[in-house]
């Protein structure tokens, strides 16, 4: 982790039980999720199964259901819930004074062109 933090949005900009997409110049984008306890998570916006947009999935507890095939992905780890297998990239984040920050180096380098 570079500890070079980039402010992305306010917590209230992320819908409860939903996501906000962080657009990157090289795909895939990053999805920032907010659950009902106001916990914030950041994952690559790509299901490990068939590449579905996780940002369009349903958030419940600390999981998101992929909108394509209903795979459940754990928000803290990015890994599929058994019996499904596979993980999507997770991103470091921090929340300070109601602002959500992502690691700028990770945004520039992690999972670029992950087809």
């Amino acid at each position: 982790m570079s500890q070079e933090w980039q402010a992305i949005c306010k917590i209230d900009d992320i819908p409860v039980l939903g996501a906000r997409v962080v657009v990157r110049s090289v795909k895939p984008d990053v999805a920032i999720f907010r659950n009902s306890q106001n916990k914030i998570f950041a994952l690559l916006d790509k299901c490990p199964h068939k590449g579905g947009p996780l940002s369009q999935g349903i958030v419940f507890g600390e999981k998101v259901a992929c909108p394509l095939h209903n795979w459940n992905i754990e928000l803290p780890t990015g890994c599929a819930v058994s019996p499904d297998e596979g993980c999507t990239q997770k991103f470091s984040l921090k929340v300070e004074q109601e602002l959500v920050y992502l690691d700028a180096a990770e945004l520039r380098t992690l999972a670029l062109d992950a087809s």
Side-chain angles (χ1 to χ4, degrees), residues 46-113:
K46 183 175 180 178
C47 179
H49 176 224
K50 296 282 186 179
L54 294 176
S55 60
Q56 295 177 24
I58 296 170
V59 174
F60 60 102
E62 291 193 0
K63 298 178 181 73
V64 61
C66 178
L68 293 185
H69 301 103
N70 206 34
W71 274 37
N72 292 326
I73 308 300
E74 295 178 346
L75 292 171
T77 65
C79 292
V81 175
S82 184
D84 298 323
E85 296 179 354
C87 295
T88 193
Q89 180 69 53
K90 70 176 192 165
F91 287 77
S92 302
L93 66 79
K94 72 175 182 175
V95 178
E96 285 183 355
Q97 298 177 354
E98 301 297 311
L99 286 175
V100 177
Y101 296 84
L102 292 179
D103 184 296
E106 289 183 3
L107 277 175
R108 288 191 303 269
T109 61
L110 288 185
L112 295 179
D113 282 331

Side-chain angles (χ1 to χ4, degrees), residues 6-89:
Q6 179 177 334
I8 301 298
C9 63
K10 295 178 182 175
I11 290 175
D12 288 341
D13 293 336
I14 308 165
V16 175
L17 299 178
R20 178 184 175 109
V21 175
V22 179
V23 177
R24 303 194 295 175
S25 57
V26 181
K27 301 300 179 195
D29 294 329
V30 175
I32 302 175
F33 299 91
R34 179 180 176 192
N35 73 6
S36 60
Q37 289 81 39
N38 286 325
K39 289 185 180 178
I40 309 298
F41 308 90
L43 298 176
L44 194 68
D45 193 16
K46 183 175 180 178
C47 179
H49 176 224
K50 296 282 186 179
L54 294 176
S55 60
Q56 295 177 24
I58 296 170
V59 174
F60 60 102
E62 291 193 0
K63 298 178 181 73
V64 61
C66 178
L68 293 185
H69 301 103
N70 206 34
W71 274 37
N72 292 326
I73 308 300
E74 295 178 346
L75 292 171
T77 65
C79 292
V81 175
S82 184
D84 298 323
E85 296 179 354
C87 295
T88 193
Q89 180 69 53

